[in-house]
Amino acid sequence: MRPKLVVIVLFVALVPLAVSAFTALRVHRAAFDREVAARQRDAARYGAALASAALDDARRTFAAAARPIPWGELSADELAGAVSLVYQQRDDVVVAQLLDEAGDGVGPAAYVDARAAAGGAHAAHPAATGALLERVAAAIPVGARQRDEVAVGAPFAGPHGRTYVALAVPVAGPAGRPWTLAVAIDLAPLCAALQGAPSDGLQMVLADRDGRAVCHAPGAPPLAPVADVVRRAAGGQLVSFDGPTGERLVAAVAPAALGWSVIAQQPAARVSAPARTMRARTWYWLAVSAVVAVVAGLVLAQGIVGPVRALRAGAGALASGDLSHRIAVTGRDELAELARAFNDMAAQIQARDDEIRRWNRELQQRVDERTRELREAQRQLLQSQKIAAVSSLAAGIAHEINNPLTGVLGLTQVLRAQAPEAQRPTFDMIEREARRIRDIVQTLQGFSQEFAGEGMAAVDVRGVVDAAVEMVAARVDRGEIELVCDHAADLPPIRGNAGQLRQAVLHVLTNAIAATPPGGRVTASTRSVEGGAVRVAVSDTGAGIAPEILDRIFEPFFTTKQEWEGRGLGLTVVYRIVEEHGGSIHVDSEVGRGTTVAIVLPAARGGAHLV
């Protein structure tokens, strides 16, 4: 009976399953092929629409910029400025040149010389070499220009595998003579837009009217011929061909503006991959079904189909991580006892797993918390060591410079009094620069001697902030920058030196005002912090601080100003004052939105542990 039962189970299970599986496979393969073809054609049409819009936009842009200008009435300098104006209309412009009716240049051309240093007013434009300018001159469609339309020439290859195209905009010269404004643009942005279009992994190839690949696929040379693909796929059907690397490709073509076209192509192996996967899975599940049928027949023959399957399913669930799986227990035989033992084992495993997971989460949280504390302590220690080293160096430098500087100032004043009137401006400049050195030396002396920890007393933070705001308010033109104070009620006093704290807030306010453009806002606020501390925050709506220099703003002598002029110690002084008062300082900045500098100081009644 066992072989017969197994054969019957196999026949009943596999024959209907195989028929339905292969029928469904054939139907789904046909539907999948239609869907792939439709998506590929849609992608080609989308790319064509994108390319057409980009080409039409370029023609409209240059026509709108060039035609209103009275070229025939402009002087030589005005012509150069007008050509530069057209050149600046788009960042992808390589060169702009005004030509007369004979095709000769009128005035200078506007372009970025590749031999010049990087940067400048037109740094965003592609740089032009001499060879590229020669190719542009040969590609200008002067002969194809029409009275009211912008002519587009044949694309041509340039350096680094890029392609370019020249446009001819008809304009009116002196006495209505037909002049031409020639503009060459880099097609790399258009090609990048095509490659970034939503195409489900397709490669977009832009071909010109002559069937050359303007935007070429990887592995293909610039302007490679693709006319055969365009011709074969002109009816909207998919075509297959060998690519430049020998790989078989499938493509759909859609027409674009100017007689150009867009080819949406992808490897044929990629197109047929889902079908191969479906076929392989069908055979796989048929094989699995055969195995299951054999097992079911054997189990049925033995009369223990249900319990064995339940135990097998439970073991699989535990193996896959489903520890909540339980087996329904019926009866009192040996298999039922086995099922009860299995359920008890699963419950114990689940309880232990939950406990281990909870311990792991707690351990990870503690490790992360201690790691953050160690990193912050290390950062503050390094910053304190830097400031201490600079303080020691500053004291020595100030002492060594002061004595000779006093002599320089005295001799300069004596020589100026004795010098003729014509030479006195020179001595005035010497004295002014010497006094500037003296001011810098005094700043260094103050930086190295200012933090003695004396004069500590209970301080009202609101009074300190208000005094600092009043001091900077006189430097701000009325209505130019809005200064706002926002104090919380019932702020606890802190223990510190009011003068030093006022100086710290004053430095931060000065930096905030310097970074805030006219019409912006600087806000000074005070808040209580949980744990017995006071938070003083100065926020501005300025340009913000770049992330790459945010960690350096407290370094001595570091400044973002173009000229130093004694700056670079302000935030270092602030950091030192806050450190002497047992507090911490944090900076939160976003480029283009502003900066917030927060100073947290322990309250006088008991203090606080600050991180």
Side-chain angles (χ1 to χ4, degrees):
M1 290 296 294
R2 181 177 298 175
K4 293 180 180 179
L5 287 174
V6 171
V7 171
I8 292 173
V9 171
L10 284 174
F11 181 83
V12 173
L14 292 184
V15 172
L17 180 62
V19 172
S20 60
F22 284 108
T23 302
L25 179 63
R26 184 169 59 253
V27 173
H28 284 85
R29 174 61 188 270
F32 177 79
D33 291 342
R34 290 194 299 271
E35 181 66 18
V36 168
R39 289 190 177 185
Q40 196 152 348
R41 285 192 291 267
D42 290 342
R45 286 193 289 268
Y46 178 86
L50 185 64
S52 299
L55 294 172
D56 292 341
D57 178 72
R59 299 171 67 191
R60 287 194 301 269
T61 298
F62 296 121
R67 286 175 177 168
I69 300 176
W71 299 93
E73 303 173 9
L74 302 182
S75 63
D77 291 340
E78 291 173 338
L79 285 175
V83 171
S84 178
L85 177 65
V86 175
Y87 174 78
Q88 299 177 38
Q89 295 301 307
R90 293 166 57 107
D91 290 341
D92 56 355
V93 178
V94 179
V95 61
Q97 173 71 65
L98 186 63
L99 307 175
D100 58 17
E101 60 270 26
D104 297 327
V106 179
Y111 64 94
V112 175
D113 192 348
R115 297 170 298 177
H122 308 307
H125 289 259
T129 62
L132 179 58
L133 293 176
E134 293 179 0
R135 296 182 185 179
V136 170
I140 297 173
V142 177
R145 64 189 178 189
Q146 300 181 13
R147 182 171 184 82
D148 296 324
E149 295 185 4
V150 178
V152 180
F156 57 95
H160 308 297
R162 292 191 171 190
T163 52
Y164 304 81
V165 67
L167 291 80
V169 183
V171 297
R177 294 203 301 265
W179 282 11
T180 301
L181 179 64
V183 180
I185 61 175
D186 186 358
L187 294 177
L190 174 57
C191 295
L194 285 175
Q195 294 304 324
S199 55
D200 194 22
L202 299 178
Q203 297 175 351
M204 295 293 188
V205 177
L206 178 62
D208 64 0
R209 64 172 65 92
D210 297 326
R212 300 180 302 165
V214 177
C215 299
H216 53 85
L223 299 179
V226 292
D228 181 68
V229 177
V230 174
R231 177 183 56 79
R232 292 169 54 198
Q237 67 274 18
L238 295 184
V239 297
S240 61
F241 61 97
D242 292 330
T245 60
E247 184 180 23
R248 196 68 179 173
L249 302 176
V250 177
V253 177
L258 304 177
W260 293 19
S261 56
V262 171
I263 304 172
Q265 64 184 33
Q266 61 178 327
R270 182 180 182 278
V271 175
S272 59
R276 294 196 304 271
T277 302
M278 293 172 61
R279 188 183 303 109
R281 288 182 177 178
T282 300
W283 282 109
Y284 171 79
W285 287 114
L286 285 175
V288 171
S289 300
V291 173
V292 172
V294 171
V295 174
L298 294 174
V299 173
L300 180 62
Q302 296 176 4
I304 55 172
V305 175
V308 170
R309 283 186 176 178
L311 287 171
R312 181 181 178 186
L318 288 182
S320 62
D322 184 8
L323 302 181
S324 63
H325 185 84
R326 297 294 182 269
I327 298 175
V329 180
T330 58
R332 296 182 179 181
D333 56 8
E334 290 80 0
L335 290 176
E337 292 296 328
L338 180 59
R340 291 189 185 93
F342 178 87
N343 288 339
D344 293 340
M345 179 188 66
Q348 294 178 9
I349 293 175
Q350 183 177 15
R352 293 178 182 177
D353 183 76
D354 293 341
E355 186 176 4
I356 292 173
R357 290 178 184 273
R358 185 174 63 255
W359 287 350
N360 286 339
R361 286 194 298 268
E362 293 178 358
L363 179 60
Q364 185 63 41
Q365 291 175 357
R366 293 179 181 179
V367 170
D368 293 342
E369 183 178 356
R370 294 300 180 267
T371 301
R372 286 193 298 269
E373 292 177 354
L374 288 174
R375 287 178 178 173
E376 181 63 19
Q378 183 183 23
R379 185 189 67 80
Q380 294 184 0
L381 178 61
L382 291 176
Q383 189 68 30
S384 299
Q385 290 175 346
K386 289 181 182 178
I387 294 176
V390 173
S391 298
S392 177
L393 178 63
I397 293 177
H399 178 74
E400 294 296 331
I401 293 178
N402 260 335
N403 292 335
L405 183 61
T406 301
V408 171
L409 279 171
L411 290 175
T412 301
Q413 294 173 352
V414 171
L415 292 175
R416 182 182 60 185
Q418 298 176 357
E421 187 67 27
Q423 297 179 0
R424 288 185 179 180
T426 301
F427 291 102
D428 290 340
M429 182 179 65
I430 296 174
E431 182 179 0
R432 184 171 60 253
E433 295 301 323
R435 291 182 182 277
R436 179 183 171 190
I437 296 174
R438 184 187 63 185
D439 293 340
I440 296 174
V441 171
Q442 290 176 351
T443 301
L444 292 172
Q445 286 178 325
F447 176 67
S448 62
Q449 300 173 1
E450 162 172 34
F451 309 104
E454 300 178 354
M456 293 291 187
V459 177
D460 182 9
V461 177
R462 286 172 294 192
V464 171
V465 174
D466 290 339
V469 171
E470 290 179 3
M471 295 176 67
V472 298
R475 310 177 192 175
V476 180
D477 293 339
R478 187 175 301 275
E480 182 180 358
I481 296 176
E482 182 181 2
L483 292 176
V484 179
C485 287
D486 181 14
H487 297 303
D490 301 329
L491 285 177
I494 65 171
R495 181 170 179 78
N497 186 301
Q500 291 182 359
L501 292 175
R502 185 169 56 253
Q503 181 183 3
V505 177
L506 182 62
H507 276 305
V508 176
L509 283 171
T510 302
N511 285 346
I513 291 172
T516 304
R521 172 184 293 183
V522 175
T523 303
S525 62
T526 56
R527 295 288 186 273
S528 295
V529 179
E530 183 180 357
V534 177
R535 181 178 183 268
V536 180
V538 176
S539 303
D540 62 66
T541 58
I545 304 174
E548 59 269 17
I549 66 172
L550 189 60
D551 292 338
R552 300 187 57 198
I553 60 175
F554 293 112
E555 293 184 4
F557 305 108
F558 177 78
T559 179
T560 58
K561 306 298 188 300
Q562 295 296 326
E563 297 182 1
W564 184 57
E565 297 183 356
R567 302 182 180 93
L569 288 174
L571 287 179
T572 308
V573 171
V574 174
Y575 187 93
R576 187 67 178 274
I577 292 174
V578 174
E579 183 184 54
E580 289 291 328
H581 285 77
S584 63
I585 183 169
H586 306 275
V587 179
D588 183 15
S589 182
E590 184 176 352
V591 176
R593 298 182 65 88
T595 301
T596 297
V597 179
I599 300 174
V600 181
L601 300 168
R605 53 176 189 274
H609 175 67
L610 302 178
V611 180

